[in-house]
Amino acid sequence: MDLLRKKLSLLPEKPGVYLMKNAAGKIIYVGKAKVLKNRVRSYFTGSHDQKTQKLVSEITDFEYIVTSSEVEALLLECNLIKKYNPQYNIMLRDDKSYPYILITSEKHPRLIVTRQVQKKKGKYYGPYPNATAARETARLLNRLLPLRKCKQIPAKPCLYYHLGQCLGPCLHSITAEEYEEIIDKANQYLRGNQKSIISWLEEKMHAAASSLQFEAAREYRDLIADLHKISEKQNITLNDFKNRDIIAYFANEELLSIQIFCFRQGKLVTRDGFIFPYYAEPEEAFVTFLVQYYSEKAAIPDEICIPELNSSSVFDILPLVIPKRGKNRELINLAQANAQTVLEEKIKLEKDKKEEVNRTLEGLTEVLQIPKAEVIEAFDISSLAGTGVVGGMIQFQGGRPYRSNYRKFKIEPLANNNDDTAYLKHVIYRRYARLLKEDKPLPDLVLVDGGKGHVKAALEALQDLQIQLPVAGMVKDERHETRGLINNKGQEIDLTSKPEVFRLIQQIQEEVHRFAITFHRQQRLKNITASELDNIPGIGPKRKRLLLSTFQSLEQIKNASLAELTKAGLPQNTAEGVYNYFRKNN
């Protein structure tokens, strides 16, 4: 703490970026400041809300970088967040991947639909609301404009060349000037200028009709009709055909909610939403979000409409506009109302969910007469007629699966192969002996998949370790479905009056069974193939999977002909090795 105080006293009164570190020296938060001295000191003085207190409690050191301006600090902050991925910063993990139309920058350009946005590949248009809309537009433009369609230039002309839908770079060289007019027309259409394309097609249609080329005239007529159809499908809400994003935010004491309406060519095509905790002022967090969000985008719109800001630095980085009145101002208000509604809905849903979980866990503690059930560990044994025995353990925290704490147990055969309870006792002993050795916390409740015998085995294992933990068994009915619980006295507890507790026990029982049996199947498959296929030169894990997926069983692989092995995808010499191995060993 003395080091922190000394460093705080040395902070300059200049703009810059600060990096907060935890005890392990890991960067946990990156922030920017107009005045470093004031901003960094504010974390260690006065009172803070709960989330900021949590951040401050982990800070043991910090670094800072002085910049020449607030704009430079904003850009540096964005780059450092990307580099260090700090746990307390805004993480824009957006799993939505919208389709774009790309005009490639290749020597012979193509017009394609893609979700992979890489700035150097060419010019992107979008995003489109769905793949169908993007593909429909791309299909029409590819019919209309003779751009290259093939991924690789073929040795001889394809059908598109004969249909007049490709200039044929496979036949003769095409200059950049020849492509220029075609690319210009594609750009015009994708920027929203459909009228000029339709006028151009109408001229071609009339010229073809005048020359008595009625087939060509009919083709142009159909293209014009398709263009009108696509335009009608898209609901135009702004009449200036600009690419524009409308962004607004709403904040409570802990969370910031942001809504983005994406207009492309005057049409609302997508809506994005983000909710995350913030540790500075809401406006400051919003500005950081803007820079970070658009630094990931291949195509930045012509305008980004936002609410009023006190900070001016971000205006030097992005094409921001603050609408004062009119349709865009109304859309800002609408986005802000959406941000508030989404945030309030999220808070209410999480509150309801938390209350439901609390009621369920209280019900479970009540029926088992135990102090709490915040952390539950459940065990199951899986085998096939006493062979290939494995154990599985899952953990639930706060009524939800906590998969990083799931554990698998390989078990050596015991004297009585069919005694599930002996294997269960062995696994439980191993689990809690290790926790004791590593001085790690024990669970509040241990559940086992089984009845009285299984509960007794678990209690014996814990007794051997001199541990006292509540244990219960999850029993099934004759249809092998969850029936109820057996407490540590061997008494069955009826859960019909506690449906929420029954659902939780059912979920835990199904999950631990799934986890254990999946591990058993993996081990069994490995054991089945290990003694045979692993002995054959040239057969590694990948080729082993290929053979098993093609032939379904080891017996079928043994009986396969050389031609069948080659057809399955093995190289000739490897296929011969497999074929000869099984013939020699038979």
Side-chain angles (χ1 to χ4, degrees):
M1 204 63 190
D2 289 339
L3 175 66
L4 271 178
R5 285 197 195 96
K6 192 168 184 180
K7 289 182 83 170
L8 286 168
S9 67
L10 298 172
L11 282 163
E13 294 184 4
K14 291 181 179 179
V17 174
Y18 53 91
L19 301 91
M20 301 299 197
K21 296 181 176 182
N22 64 10
K26 186 180 178 183
I27 293 167
I28 56 173
Y29 185 70
V30 173
K32 66 178 180 311
K34 197 172 184 178
V35 180
L36 278 167
K37 188 173 187 175
N38 298 346
R39 186 75 193 95
V40 178
R41 278 183 171 184
S42 71
Y43 286 96
F44 303 96
T45 56
S47 60
H48 300 290
D49 55 37
Q50 192 176 353
K51 62 180 172 50
T52 309
Q53 282 175 8
K54 189 173 186 305
L55 165 64
V56 174
S57 69
E58 292 190 37
I59 298 170
T60 59
D61 193 9
F62 67 86
E63 292 178 12
Y64 62 87
I65 302 167
V66 175
T67 59
S68 57
S69 67
E70 198 180 344
V71 175
E72 194 180 314
L74 192 56
L75 291 169
L76 180 59
E77 178 196 34
C78 178
N79 291 333
L80 291 174
I81 288 171
K82 283 184 194 173
K83 181 178 179 180
Y84 293 112
N85 201 18
Q87 70 181 86
Y88 285 102
N89 278 99
I90 303 166
M91 292 294 111
L92 300 183
R93 298 189 186 96
D94 185 13
D95 59 357
K96 294 186 287 292
S97 177
Y98 290 110
Y100 287 78
I101 287 178
L102 165 65
I103 300 175
T104 67
S105 54
E106 298 163 291
K107 183 181 177 182
H108 303 289
R110 293 179 297 146
L111 189 146
I112 58 174
V113 175
T114 180
R115 292 178 190 268
Q116 304 298 318
V117 177
Q118 299 172 32
K119 294 183 182 181
K120 293 179 181 177
K121 291 266 183 167
K123 194 158 190 177
Y124 291 86
Y125 290 93
Y128 283 79
N130 53 61
T132 303
R135 279 198 292 265
E136 201 173 54
T137 304
R139 178 189 59 79
L140 182 60
L141 287 174
N142 273 316
R143 276 177 62 203
L144 181 63
L145 303 169
L147 291 166
R148 176 164 68 95
K149 309 295 188 291
C150 306
K151 281 187 180 180
Q152 304 293 332
I153 295 176
K156 56 183 181 180
C158 64
L159 180 63
Y160 291 112
Y161 174 75
H162 296 295
L163 291 172
Q165 293 179 18
C166 177
L167 293 179
C170 53
L171 274 182
H172 42 77
S173 61
I174 315 291
T175 64
E177 289 73 25
E178 288 177 85
Y179 280 121
E180 200 172 313
E181 186 187 354
I182 300 167
I183 296 297
D184 183 55
K185 286 198 167 24
N187 286 331
Q188 280 184 50
Y189 180 83
L190 292 169
R191 279 198 294 262
N193 188 3
Q194 286 100 337
K195 286 183 181 177
S196 66
I197 302 292
I198 289 170
S199 299
W200 174 66
L201 283 173
E202 283 173 344
E203 285 175 19
K204 283 185 166 288
M205 181 181 71
H206 294 313
S210 300
S211 306
L212 305 180
Q213 296 174 341
F214 299 116
E215 288 285 334
R218 187 164 66 242
E219 178 71 16
Y220 289 128
R221 183 200 65 192
D222 292 345
L223 282 169
I224 292 165
D226 284 346
L227 281 170
H228 281 303
K229 201 181 292 179
I230 284 180
S231 297
E232 285 165 10
K233 278 184 184 178
Q234 296 170 328
N235 179 30
I236 297 175
T237 54
L238 295 172
N239 57 13
D240 58 2
F241 298 102
K242 272 193 174 181
N243 290 340
R244 176 186 286 112
D245 284 355
I246 305 286
I247 309 185
Y249 69 93
F250 179 82
N252 65 8
E253 294 78 12
E254 294 195 355
L255 297 170
L256 191 73
S257 172
I258 293 175
Q259 286 285 302
I260 305 171
F261 296 162
C262 300
F263 288 83
R264 296 297 179 264
Q265 303 139 45
K267 307 165 187 71
L268 177 62
V269 293
T270 63
R271 187 185 82 164
D272 271 352
F274 297 86
I275 296 176
F276 48 82
Y278 63 95
Y279 299 91
E281 291 301 311
E283 184 182 295
E284 196 176 326
F286 177 62
V287 169
T288 296
F289 169 87
L290 288 174
V291 177
Q292 201 178 339
Y293 179 77
Y294 285 105
S295 70
E296 302 289 339
K297 298 291 177 186
I300 294 176
D302 305 325
E303 274 185 10
I304 302 167
C305 296
I306 60 169
E308 288 190 39
L309 289 180
N310 293 320
S311 171
S312 60
S313 56
V314 71
F315 287 85
D316 297 331
I317 301 168
L318 296 168
L320 300 179
V321 175
I322 299 176
K324 301 290 184 183
R325 62 182 71 84
K327 183 71 174 175
N328 289 342
R329 180 68 242 182
E330 290 172 17
L331 287 167
I332 288 284
N333 294 340
L334 181 63
Q336 196 164 32
N338 270 268
Q340 182 176 353
T341 302
V342 168
L343 181 58
E344 288 171 352
E345 187 180 88
K346 177 185 171 69
I347 291 167
K348 187 178 184 307
L349 285 172
E350 286 189 352
K351 185 183 175 186
D352 291 348
K353 196 179 285 183
K354 193 173 182 180
E355 286 174 357
E356 186 182 342
V357 168
N358 287 341
R359 280 196 305 272
T360 302
L361 295 179
E362 282 170 13
L364 181 58
T365 58
E366 186 184 319
V367 297
L368 289 175
Q369 297 179 353
I370 58 175
K372 59 177 182 173
E374 181 64 26
V375 179
I376 301 169
E377 291 189 348
F379 295 83
D380 190 19
I381 301 297
S382 186
S383 67
L384 181 66
T387 61
V389 186
V390 298
M393 187 217 82
I394 65 167
Q395 189 182 90
F396 270 51
Q397 289 190 16
R400 294 179 182 179
Y402 197 76
R403 290 185 173 83
S404 62
N405 281 355
Y406 283 20
R407 294 292 181 268
K408 299 171 181 176
F409 299 88
K410 292 180 184 177
I411 310 171
E412 293 297 322
L414 299 176
N416 185 354
N417 277 353
N418 292 316
D419 188 359
D420 259 12
T421 58
Y423 287 115
L424 181 67
K425 181 179 177 180
H426 171 80
V427 166
I428 289 176
Y429 186 92
R430 277 172 58 186
R431 166 65 177 168
Y432 297 116
R434 180 160 187 166
L435 289 189
L436 289 174
K437 184 181 177 183
E438 295 175 354
D439 197 25
K440 289 185 177 176
L442 298 171
D444 302 315
L445 172 64
V446 175
L447 293 176
V448 294
D449 190 6
K452 293 179 184 179
H454 295 82
V455 171
K456 185 182 175 187
L459 288 168
E460 286 173 359
L462 295 173
Q463 196 173 4
D464 291 346
L465 292 165
Q466 297 182 337
I467 298 173
Q468 285 192 334
L469 284 175
V471 177
M474 300 176 288
V475 287
K476 294 177 179 175
D477 59 21
E478 60 278 358
R479 290 179 298 176
H480 214 64
E481 293 176 354
T482 304
R483 186 176 76 209
L485 284 173
I486 296 275
N487 65 18
N488 55 9
K489 295 175 184 174
Q491 300 164 333
E492 184 164 343
I493 300 166
D494 184 15
L495 297 177
T496 50
S497 62
K498 300 273 186 186
E500 68 283 355
V501 176
F502 178 83
R503 283 194 297 272
L504 176 63
I505 296 302
Q506 188 179 45
Q507 184 188 357
I508 292 172
Q509 189 169 35
E510 287 175 359
E511 176 68 356
V512 72
H513 176 71
R514 178 202 64 78
F515 185 65
I517 201 167
T518 301
F519 181 45
H520 169 70
R521 285 168 180 162
Q522 289 168 348
Q523 291 299 112
R524 199 173 77 201
L525 180 63
K526 190 176 176 182
N527 292 337
I528 287 170
T529 58
S531 59
E532 297 279 358
L533 293 179
D534 287 350
N535 295 331
I536 305 172
I539 299 295
K542 194 173 179 181
R543 284 178 180 163
K544 191 195 296 184
R545 284 196 299 273
L546 173 69
L547 286 170
L548 289 168
S549 62
T550 305
F551 295 101
Q552 304 301 317
S553 71
L554 191 61
E555 197 59 36
Q556 287 187 31
I557 297 170
K558 287 180 180 180
N559 296 328
S561 66
L562 185 58
E564 286 172 331
L565 291 167
T566 309
K567 190 179 177 182
L570 292 182
Q572 183 67 30
N573 60 337
T574 308
E576 287 173 2
V578 173
Y579 182 81
N580 293 333
Y581 175 86
F582 287 120
R583 298 304 171 282
K584 185 174 69 177
N585 285 284
N586 284 342

